[in-house]
Amino acid sequence: MLRRLFPLICALALTPLAVFAEAPEVLIEEQARQSWGNDLPPDARVHVRFTGGTIEEAEMISAFWMDRDTGQFLANAVTPEGITHRLQGRLLAMLELPVPTRRLMPGELVGAGDVKTVELPVKRVGAYTITDPGKLEGMQVRRMLAAGRPVMTQSVMEPLVIDRGDKVNILYDDGRLVVTAPGRALDDAHRGQELRIVNLVSNAPLVAVARGEGLVEVIR
């Protein structure tokens, strides 16, 4: 058995190991993502810009340094031939964000045509910046939105379904009895938000939840 395997073992021993080379940008991006760690959003794109000469392929990065604030980096890239090259440049961490295509004023509804996606530096993205277009379209503007600028979550809100002073239909349902009565809203409210109302029959003040346009439900 060993005699039959011996030629195969010798052939494998004499076969050179495959060298896996990558574009240096790929290896440098890997190092940068490790350096940024959790400070870099998972869906961010990292662009590598060389300020000096570069090489076509590298087998590994033997040394890496970067300034997390500016993105400046230095790297020692080792080619498949074992030659080390010093590379330098800048890393740009970018994120795709929804921004308004025009200036939107308070009270306006954000339509699909009012939003476009642009790539902006991650450092311009705050903790309360809206990154999902689905969380911007259909919302109502609370504070003026500038065209082309990121939108903060506190600058928009769910659309109002009831305005202060609106006549509303009051619904009470305890599972056994359903009662309706006319009322008037004392607050603005979006769907699912609590508001103060007054029952126009009894003149009694109540707290209700907005269920839709002109419809509120008393929950207590």
Side-chain angles (χ1 to χ4, degrees):
M1 181 68 176
L2 291 175
R3 289 181 180 179
R4 291 198 299 269
L5 291 176
F6 184 75
L8 178 60
I9 295 173
C10 291
L12 290 174
L14 295 174
T15 301
L17 294 175
V19 176
F20 297 97
E22 291 274 10
E25 294 93 330
V26 175
L27 300 178
I28 290 172
E29 179 182 343
E30 291 176 355
Q31 295 287 332
R33 287 186 180 275
Q34 292 179 16
S35 180
W36 269 313
N38 293 332
D39 291 337
L40 186 69
D43 50 351
R45 296 181 182 180
V46 178
H47 301 286
V48 182
R49 301 287 185 264
F50 294 105
T51 56
T54 185
I55 55 178
E56 292 185 0
E57 292 182 325
E59 183 180 347
M60 62 177 290
I61 301 295
S62 62
F64 180 80
W65 172 89
M66 68 171 285
D67 185 320
R68 289 162 55 93
D69 295 327
T70 65
Q72 301 292 328
F73 75 87
L74 293 173
N76 288 341
V78 182
T79 67
E81 296 76 26
I83 301 173
T84 300
H85 292 263
R86 171 62 62 89
L87 304 177
Q88 61 181 346
R90 186 183 179 194
L91 297 155
L92 300 175
M94 309 292 285
L95 193 65
E96 286 192 346
L97 298 174
V99 298
T101 58
R102 63 183 181 88
R103 185 171 64 177
L104 295 169
M105 303 304 294
E108 289 191 76
L109 294 180
V110 182
D114 296 324
V115 179
K116 66 178 181 180
T117 301
V118 299
E119 200 174 50
L120 294 174
V122 168
K123 60 184 179 181
R124 289 186 58 186
V125 181
Y128 299 102
T129 301
I130 294 177
T131 59
D132 182 358
K135 294 183 179 180
L136 182 56
E137 295 177 15
M139 299 294 278
Q140 189 166 10
V141 179
R142 176 179 288 168
R143 302 173 184 169
M144 188 199 77
L145 306 181
R149 298 192 63 178
V151 178
M152 302 295 105
T153 54
Q154 59 267 33
S155 296
V156 294
M157 61 183 178
E158 292 286 342
L160 294 177
V161 293
I162 294 175
D163 292 322
R164 180 179 180 181
D166 282 354
K167 287 186 176 180
V168 295
N169 191 29
I170 304 171
L171 171 68
Y172 176 79
D173 183 359
D174 66 357
R176 295 172 300 177
L177 179 67
V178 177
V179 178
T180 61
R184 187 176 301 278
L186 301 179
D187 299 307
D188 298 329
H190 56 71
R191 192 183 305 273
Q193 183 180 12
E194 287 191 355
L195 74 157
R196 296 173 302 143
I197 62 171
V198 61
N199 186 319
L200 295 180
V201 176
S202 64
N203 241 4
L206 301 167
V207 175
V209 175
R211 296 304 186 195
E213 291 189 9
L215 177 63
V216 300
E217 182 179 1
V218 175
I219 57 175
R220 63 176 182 271

